[in-house]
Amino acid sequence: MQQSKKGFGAWGWFLLIFGLLIFFSNGGFFADGTNVIAPAVAERLGVDRTVILNMNSVAGIIGVVIAIIAGQVNRRIGPAKVAAGCLILAGLGHIATGNATSVAMYLIAMCCVGGGLSAGSFVGIGTLVAMWFPRKQGQAMSVVAMGSNFGTMLFVPLLTVLVGSIGIATSSIICGAVAVVVGLIGAVMLRNTPQERGLYPDNVTKEEFEASYASAAPEEDPHGWTTGKLLATKETWLCVLSTGLLMLIQMGIMTQLVARNMEVGMNQAMATGVMSAIAVIGIIGSVIIGGIVFKMGIKKAGVMVCILYIVALLCNISGIMPLVWVSLVIIGFLGAAAPNLMNSIPGSVFGRLGYAKVNSVVFPITSMIYMCNFAVNGVVQKAFGSISAVYIVFAVMALVSLLLILAIQDHKYDQDYMAAHKN
């Protein structure tokens, strides 16, 4: 079946840009922005920076619980309101982080930030992308996932300047308020499905939709998915484990990248500067990965990503500087690959119909897996005293993920795919 090449459409682009801004906020408020926020808050509260970092770890775990709740709410009120509401929650939480008067207040605020952005990104936006672009998820998620790279490249330096000039309290009010306003705009303008805008999935024509897509409404669940049934389904675990491991590797590399760069001989300024360079490469890589997912399918794209991670990790472990630089280019290129596949793989396997229920089970378990990146880094480094040992573990995980992806039966439950190939 020839894919429609009509683009995303105006309302589709609105959805993708909104999703990009949520990912952008995630990079700035919770992930990379921690490098700026944590020391500023620690100084404000008069505590050691490690205390604040430990609170971030706790907030990440609690964020999984928030994501589980969001998954259930998503099925009742729709992903549009979940995505918008989660960004509003994160914006208010960010305001509170910079104005926290105690460690406990900071922890509660960061739970709102981490949980809100995680749920908004993958429960809200992830479901919306599946509803609007069931056959173009790879391309659509490549646009959305660029937000993380832009967050690293633009938001973190901006936050550094703001905190240095007007302080963490005022900076958080400004940035948080912008997030709240964007969330409110999303609450008014976003729609759960393209049909609510008089459009069709993938921006196809009415004739194409009727000929090549399932006619059931998106909220209908032809498979009767329940939590128990999904947990007993092989494809659920293949999707969860393969993408969870890839996300764990990606997060595990990035959270320790500066330390690893210094371990191989870079000074701190260069080790930190590499982060910005990687973000730029990641923007280019995001577009290319999206195109590969669209043209080659999720299995071939997933296998390619796993192989590239293995190559990058082995090059880095060598300690030979030319190979280390090759590894950093590959790591930068793959920056948005794991988030893309985390949404595209289950979306391609299970399809658009009933996806809200599928995502409410798949995403929380996947989150639990990739949140273990902190523990993997800590345990392995403590045992072997080197990040190189962690990279060996990550390379093995990438190989396991590759084997799991090969075992996936793509489109197994995708009603749109079945409709397109009914003849």
Side-chain angles (χ1 to χ4, degrees):
M1 174 71 190
Q2 179 67 31
Q3 300 279 5
S4 172
K5 297 182 179 179
K6 296 178 180 299
F8 298 123
W11 286 112
W13 272 110
F14 177 84
L15 161 62
L16 298 184
I17 291 171
F18 185 86
L20 182 149
L21 291 174
I22 290 185
F23 274 71
F24 180 88
S25 301
N26 194 29
F29 290 173
F30 190 71
D32 298 324
T34 298
N35 293 294
V36 180
I37 297 168
V41 171
E43 182 180 355
R44 174 183 169 85
L45 296 179
V47 299
D48 189 84
R49 181 172 178 268
T50 57
V51 173
I52 299 301
L53 291 176
N54 287 336
M55 293 303 102
N56 287 355
S57 298
V58 174
I61 295 170
I62 296 176
V64 175
V65 178
I66 295 176
I68 294 172
I69 296 171
Q72 299 306 312
V73 173
N74 188 45
R75 300 178 61 208
R76 289 170 172 79
I77 67 174
K81 289 186 175 61
V82 168
C86 284
L87 183 57
I88 293 170
L89 175 65
L92 295 173
H94 184 67
I95 293 172
T97 60
N99 292 272
T101 55
S102 66
V103 173
M105 179 178 173
Y106 175 82
L107 173 60
I108 294 171
M110 283 304 291
C111 287
C112 294
V113 173
L117 291 173
S118 181
S121 297
F122 294 105
V123 176
I125 294 300
T127 305
L128 284 171
V129 168
M131 295 297 100
W132 281 71
F133 306 110
R135 294 181 185 163
K136 297 181 179 179
Q137 287 187 70
Q139 289 178 306
M141 283 304 298
S142 73
V143 175
V144 171
M146 283 185 203
S148 297
N149 299 106
F150 281 119
T152 302
M153 184 174 66
L154 301 175
F155 190 80
V156 175
L158 173 63
L159 192 60
T160 301
V161 172
L162 287 174
V163 171
S165 59
I166 59 179
I168 184 64
T170 306
S171 297
S172 66
I173 291 173
I174 294 172
C175 296
V178 171
V180 170
V181 170
V182 172
L184 290 172
I185 293 172
V188 175
M189 304 296 289
L190 286 174
R191 295 293 184 271
N192 295 321
T193 67
Q195 286 90 335
E196 294 176 39
R197 287 288 184 192
L199 303 169
Y200 294 93
D202 296 315
N203 201 34
V204 300
T205 63
K206 179 181 179 182
E207 291 73 22
E208 287 177 285
F209 178 76
E210 291 177 347
S212 304
Y213 288 74
S215 60
E219 64 273 11
E220 292 183 22
D221 185 356
H223 300 288
W225 291 123
T226 63
T227 299
K229 189 174 179 180
L230 284 165
L231 291 176
T233 299
K234 179 181 70 174
E235 276 67 30
T236 299
W237 292 103
L238 291 175
C239 291
V240 162
L241 293 172
S242 62
T243 61
L245 288 175
L246 284 176
M247 281 292 292
L248 187 154
I249 293 166
Q250 194 264 344
M251 291 184 68
I253 290 173
M254 295 307 295
T255 55
Q256 296 291 307
L257 189 61
V258 172
R260 173 58 184 169
N261 288 342
M262 294 177 69
E263 192 174 81
V264 296
M266 298 183 195
N267 59 42
Q268 186 168 7
M270 178 178 288
T272 305
V274 166
M275 292 284 289
S276 295
I278 278 181
V280 176
I281 297 171
I283 293 170
I284 300 169
S286 182
V287 176
I288 295 174
I289 293 292
I292 290 172
V293 173
F294 178 68
K295 293 179 180 179
M296 297 175 58
I298 54 111
K299 290 188 69 168
K300 291 181 180 178
V303 167
M304 183 200 73
V305 168
C306 291
I307 291 173
L308 286 175
Y309 265 125
I310 293 171
V311 171
L313 290 162
L314 294 179
C315 285
N316 200 287
I317 291 167
S318 73
I320 301 170
M321 285 312 296
L323 293 180
V324 170
W325 285 110
V326 169
S327 77
L328 291 172
V329 171
I330 297 174
I331 289 168
F333 178 80
L334 296 176
N340 188 325
L341 292 173
M342 181 176 165
N343 197 67
S344 299
I345 286 180
S348 185
V349 171
F350 289 94
R352 173 175 58 99
L353 304 185
Y355 186 75
K357 175 60 185 178
V358 172
N359 202 30
S360 73
V361 174
V362 169
F363 172 67
I365 305 174
T366 307
S367 298
M368 293 177 192
I369 294 172
Y370 71 69
M371 281 298 177
C372 292
N373 78 89
F374 299 107
V376 172
N377 262 309
V379 170
V380 178
Q381 286 187 54
K382 185 175 181 180
F384 296 96
S386 170
I387 299 176
S388 290
V390 181
Y391 279 18
I392 293 173
V393 173
F394 287 165
V396 173
M397 288 182 175
L399 177 60
V400 172
S401 180
L402 186 156
L403 297 174
L404 291 169
I405 290 171
L406 287 174
I408 290 173
Q409 183 178 337
D410 195 15
H411 303 300
K412 183 170 184 179
Y413 302 104
D414 185 352
Q415 297 296 303
D416 290 326
Y417 181 85
M418 295 176 189
H421 294 79
K422 57 181 176 292
N423 295 322

